[in-house]
Amino acid sequence: LSPGGRMVKIRNKHLKRLEEVLELAVSSSLRVRGGMHDADEMLRDVADELEGKRAKSSQDLTGSEERGRGKERTGNGDDEELVRVERMLGLALTEVLREDLEDACAALAQHIRRLLECEEKQPGGHSEATRRWAMLFEQGWLRAARMTSKEGREEEAARSLLSKLTGQLDALEEVSQELRELELAACIRRMAAVARRSGLLSVQLRCVPAHYYNLTLEERSLLLGAPSIHHLCKTVVFENRECVYTDCSNSDNSRFYAVIIQYTSKCNTEKLLRLVRSWTPGSRRADYNFQLCPEEEAEELTGYRRNGVAPVGMKQAIPVIVSHRIASLSPCFLWLGGGHPDIKLGCSVTELVKATGARVEDVTM
């Protein structure tokens, strides 16, 4: 086979047969045991044909000097063919041997030896062509062995490194899990103390898996034991960017508000604006522009990360507004952030409104 994969025509008949063997060897036929029988038969045919051809060539060469010279000229032409065949044979053998097919390699080696044994019986002994084939086979074998050995070492080193890295990752995962459990336990103790001080007697604190927010609302409610998806709530911090104050000292006109709404509804900032403006008679419309508070700033104000904001125990006393729909829940119990993204706090809505001094208002769409 040439590098491009096309067949090179060989005038000599036994070289043509060898070419067919190579085509078979490089193909997938030798890669399954079912193809070994055909390859064995073809190699045996080559050996038998060589034996007969060498015998005939020996008789012809003793006939006349002119015919001998003619044969020599033909042989020189064959030698040129052999050079090309040898080059292709070397590449083919290397590729075949690199497949680590022990049975195939042993079969090829056996038949190369048979070729040599066949020609030993001839008057001239081994032909130069067969010697070169045998040498080329050995060189290809050694080259393939070196390449396989190098690749084997590299592959073994890669496997060893991967095993070490996997072990380290497993160890890090275990440590990470232990740290997470410690963090959650500490947070639950802290939130339980905050709830007691705030007067939330009905409080429940539950840890949820890290993939909690990948679940549907139905799956979340089942996980928490909530009566329905409407009992799942969240605390959202809004900022009045046009407020004349920079803090929350004036609950009627605070720069920030913690609004508790259901996951099944959305806050209507226009309703929120009209509500807060109504608490300050004579105020201008231009003094109100409610937007979601940036995540980093909300964390700084509350002390809680996103998805873990609780309306109690915040770093700053932010005024709380509870959606009127939550107050009408039956049973009147809600679940919301519990101070950590993986902790949820459940409590009575009535207790929460009393503990936070929240105002119950219509602020949703």
Side-chain angles (χ1 to χ4, degrees):
L1 290 174
S2 68
R6 65 181 182 84
M7 296 296 297
V8 179
K9 293 183 179 180
I10 307 297
R11 288 194 299 271
N12 188 298
K13 185 176 180 180
H14 70 269
L15 291 181
K16 178 63 176 178
R17 293 288 290 163
L18 177 60
E19 189 178 53
E20 294 173 357
V21 173
L22 286 178
E23 181 181 17
L24 180 64
V26 178
S27 71
S28 60
S29 300
L30 276 179
R31 299 182 185 180
V32 294
R33 293 187 178 275
M36 286 303 302
H37 176 73
D38 295 335
D40 186 79
E41 290 295 328
M42 294 189 74
L43 285 166
R44 186 177 295 111
D45 291 344
V46 173
D48 294 340
E49 186 173 332
L50 277 175
E51 183 176 10
K53 189 169 186 63
R54 295 307 176 194
K56 185 176 183 300
S57 297
S58 178
Q59 295 173 3
D60 291 343
L61 287 172
T62 58
S64 67
E65 183 176 354
E66 182 62 25
R67 289 174 58 192
R69 286 196 296 269
K71 287 290 182 179
E72 184 179 355
R73 287 193 298 271
T74 303
N76 290 337
D78 288 343
D79 286 343
E80 294 176 0
E81 301 274 1
L82 284 172
V83 172
R84 291 198 297 272
V85 172
E86 287 172 2
R87 185 168 55 251
M88 294 183 292
L89 178 59
L91 294 173
L93 283 175
T94 301
E95 293 303 316
V96 171
L97 295 173
R98 285 183 66 190
E99 293 294 331
D100 196 25
L101 298 174
E102 296 183 0
D103 292 340
C105 293
L108 288 169
Q110 176 184 353
H111 287 291
I112 289 291
R113 286 195 295 271
R114 284 196 63 202
L115 294 177
L116 294 173
E117 291 171 0
C118 288
E119 294 198 343
E120 278 184 346
K121 301 174 184 179
Q122 306 304 321
H126 298 307
S127 72
E128 185 63 24
T130 307
R131 285 181 181 276
R132 285 203 296 262
W133 290 345
M135 184 182 300
L136 196 60
F137 178 83
E138 183 179 3
Q139 292 172 353
W141 187 298
L142 293 174
R143 182 166 56 251
R146 286 195 299 271
M147 294 173 71
T148 303
S149 176
K150 180 181 178 181
E151 291 174 353
R153 289 195 301 272
E154 292 176 349
E155 185 178 349
E156 181 61 30
R159 281 199 298 266
S160 176
L161 178 60
L162 179 60
S163 177
K164 291 180 180 179
L165 290 175
T166 302
Q168 292 175 359
L169 288 175
D170 290 342
L172 286 173
E173 181 66 25
E174 292 178 4
V175 172
S176 177
Q177 182 63 27
E178 292 175 1
L179 290 175
R180 178 178 180 272
E181 292 174 359
L182 291 173
E183 181 185 11
L184 293 179
C187 185
I188 286 178
R189 288 195 297 270
R190 182 172 65 84
M191 291 305 297
V194 169
R196 285 195 300 270
R197 291 196 300 267
S198 302
L200 297 178
L201 303 179
S202 61
V203 69
Q204 298 181 31
L205 292 166
R206 293 189 183 175
C207 293
V208 296
H211 65 278
Y212 175 81
Y213 285 97
N214 293 331
L215 302 176
T216 63
L217 291 179
E218 289 76 10
E219 291 171 331
R220 296 182 201 178
S221 63
L222 287 174
L223 186 64
L224 294 172
S228 73
I229 61 175
H230 303 295
H231 290 73
L232 303 179
C233 304
K234 57 184 175 181
T235 304
V236 185
V237 179
F238 284 90
E239 177 186 5
N240 178 9
R241 296 183 179 178
E242 302 297 332
C243 185
V244 294
Y245 301 103
T246 59
D247 55 20
C248 304
S249 57
N250 183 355
S251 61
D252 289 337
N253 191 12
S254 173
R255 188 172 187 87
F256 302 97
Y257 286 95
V259 182
I260 301 177
I261 58 175
Q262 298 163 299
Y263 268 97
T264 54
S265 64
K266 292 183 179 181
C267 183
N268 187 323
T269 55
E270 185 61 30
K271 284 185 177 181
L272 178 62
L273 184 154
R274 290 198 299 266
L275 172 68
V276 175
R277 185 185 177 190
S278 68
W279 296 337
T280 308
S283 60
R284 299 181 307 155
R285 173 69 173 75
D287 293 334
Y288 300 91
N289 178 19
F290 281 99
Q291 302 288 333
L292 277 174
C293 184
E295 186 176 326
E296 296 79 6
E297 190 173 359
E299 183 175 345
E300 180 63 27
L301 288 168
T302 63
Y304 302 127
R305 285 181 284 165
R306 182 173 180 268
N307 294 328
V309 179
V312 293
M314 292 186 287
K315 290 175 67 174
Q316 291 194 28
I318 303 176
V320 178
I321 300 174
V322 176
S323 169
H324 72 296
R325 294 181 180 179
I326 295 176
S328 61
L329 285 173
S330 180
C332 199
F333 194 92
L334 83 167
W335 285 94
L336 39 61
H340 188 283
D342 296 340
I343 296 177
K344 300 305 162 195
L345 182 152
C347 68
S348 162
V349 177
T350 304
E351 286 185 357
L352 180 64
V353 170
K354 182 179 179 180
T356 61
R359 303 182 187 188
V360 179
E361 303 285 354
D362 177 10
V363 290
T364 57
M365 295 182 179

